[in-house]
């Protein structure tokens, strides 16, 4: 595995980048970083868009020992790549088809229904309609609320005993859940309306892979946002 070079183009407060960093730590994949400053529009340069026409992060470039490059530009595709390439190292999907379907349902409530609608590109467009920060906040909070209620509903309906989203093993559902809940916390949302989701999130934040991926702990995190040592 370590004969290849894994190079991640990342931005400190991107929830999609956070997914990749969590999974890489869980699977022991060493990442090298180039930080793309979305605040200064680095992602919109012609040079960057040659690698990622979507002008977004993350972008993962895997270079083999022979120089062959594999470029992946969507976070869920990168997670699938990690899982298919290293299936026996901290598996993110359970072995049985029935269980995999249930995990993927949880994944997609966040990755398809919730995170895209709360992405900064979308909420900024909502704000721009009436030049209203209040519109942006209300829209984002409603999107988080709808998605988290659905996630909570599946947690209850599955009625699985365990610490995390799907029992006691960290799954892909957890990998996509935590960054999006972290985003909701930035909107100062009270998560008491989804007690099981809140409990799972709190448990996951105690794990080293999730600490390492925290947006306040990245190489490009501005000093004012960084986690300060006690």
């Amino acid at each position: 595995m370590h004969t290849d070079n894994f190079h991640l183009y990342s931005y400190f407060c991107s929830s999609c980048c956070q997914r990749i960093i969590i999974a890489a730590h869980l699977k022991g994949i060493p990442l090298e970083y180039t930080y793309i400053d979305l605040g200064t529009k680095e992602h919109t340069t012609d040079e960057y868009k040659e690698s990622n026409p979507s002008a977004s992060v993350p972008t993962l470039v895997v270079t083999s020992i022979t120089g062959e490059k594999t470029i992946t530009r969507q976070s869920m595709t990168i997670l699938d790549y990690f899982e298919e390439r290293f299936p026996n190292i901290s598996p993110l999907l359970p072995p049985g088809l029935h269980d995999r379907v249930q995990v993927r349902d949880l994944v997609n409530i966040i990755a398809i229904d919730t995170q895209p609608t709360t992405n900064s590109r979308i909420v900024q467009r909502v704000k721009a309609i009436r030049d209203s920060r209040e519109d942006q906040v209300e829209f984002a909070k409603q999107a988080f609320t709808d998605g988290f209620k659905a996630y909570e509903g599946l947690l209850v309906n599955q009625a699985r005993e365990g610490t995390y989203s799907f029992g006691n093993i960290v799954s892909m559902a957890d990998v996509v859940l935590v960054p999006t809940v972290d985003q909701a916390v930035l909107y100062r949302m009270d998560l008491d309306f989804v007690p099981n989701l809140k409990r799972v999130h709190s448990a996951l934040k105690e794990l080293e892979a999730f600490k390492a991926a925290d947006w306040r702990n990245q190489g490009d995190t501005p000093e004012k946002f960084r986690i300060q040592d006690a």
Side-chain angles (χ1 to χ4, degrees):
M1 179 174 72
H2 293 173
T3 58
D4 286 359
N5 175 268
F6 296 82
H7 198 114
L8 183 68
Y9 291 77
S10 182
Y11 181 58
F12 76 99
C13 63
S14 163
S15 60
C16 291
C17 292
Q18 193 175 346
R19 296 171 182 172
I20 307 314
I21 298 168
I22 292 168
H25 276 82
L26 288 169
K27 288 183 173 289
I29 300 169
L31 295 176
E32 294 182 2
Y33 292 89
T34 292
Y35 298 110
I36 302 297
D37 189 344
L38 272 58
T40 60
K41 309 287 187 187
E42 276 191 87
H43 57 299
T44 65
T45 64
D46 290 340
E47 180 182 5
Y48 184 70
K49 288 197 291 186
E50 284 183 13
S51 295
N52 190 330
S54 295
S56 63
V57 288
T59 300
L60 179 72
V61 180
V62 181
T63 306
S64 73
I65 196 169
T66 63
E68 181 182 7
K69 292 183 183 295
T70 300
I71 303 176
T72 316
R73 305 161 185 88
Q74 293 292 324
S75 65
M76 296 311 301
T77 310
I78 296 171
L79 292 182
D80 285 339
Y81 172 81
F82 284 172
E83 187 66 4
E84 290 184 29
R85 185 164 177 189
F86 310 113
N88 298 319
I89 304 173
S90 295
L92 299 178
L93 293 170
L97 178 60
H98 176 73
D99 287 349
R100 282 176 180 247
V101 167
Q102 293 187 70
V103 169
R104 283 190 163 119
D105 257 357
L106 289 167
V107 167
N108 288 328
I109 284 175
I110 301 299
I112 294 177
D113 287 350
T114 309
Q115 188 276 331
T117 56
T118 58
N119 183 280
S120 61
R121 287 185 180 184
I122 303 303
V123 295
Q124 289 298 325
R125 288 170 183 170
V126 171
K127 176 184 177 182
I129 293 171
R130 300 193 303 179
D131 192 24
S132 171
R133 166 72 176 169
E134 184 178 342
D135 286 353
Q136 173 188 339
V137 171
E138 182 178 351
F139 176 86
K141 284 188 172 181
Q142 189 60 58
F144 285 126
T145 298
D146 292 345
F148 293 167
K149 282 184 175 179
Y151 200 97
E152 179 82 3
L154 282 193
L155 291 179
V156 173
N157 289 339
Q158 289 172 356
R160 295 183 66 90
E161 298 293 333
T163 306
Y164 308 123
S165 292
F166 202 73
N168 289 315
I169 303 299
V170 174
S171 71
M172 195 177 290
D174 300 308
V175 171
V176 300
L177 174 68
V178 165
T180 298
V181 175
D182 286 353
Q183 293 281 351
V185 170
L186 287 175
Y187 279 91
R188 300 182 180 178
M189 287 192 66
D190 184 339
L191 299 176
D192 287 346
F193 71 100
V194 281
N196 291 290
L197 181 151
K198 183 179 180 180
R199 171 185 56 78
V200 167
H201 175 260
S202 295
L204 289 163
K205 292 293 282 187
E206 295 298 316
L207 302 180
E208 289 305 316
F210 291 83
K211 290 179 181 179
D214 192 291
W215 67 274
R216 298 165 296 176
N217 196 35
Q218 301 310 301
D220 59 332
T221 301
E223 190 62 33
K224 64 182 178 179
F225 295 132
R226 297 190 71 83
I227 298 174
Q228 302 299 321
D229 293 333

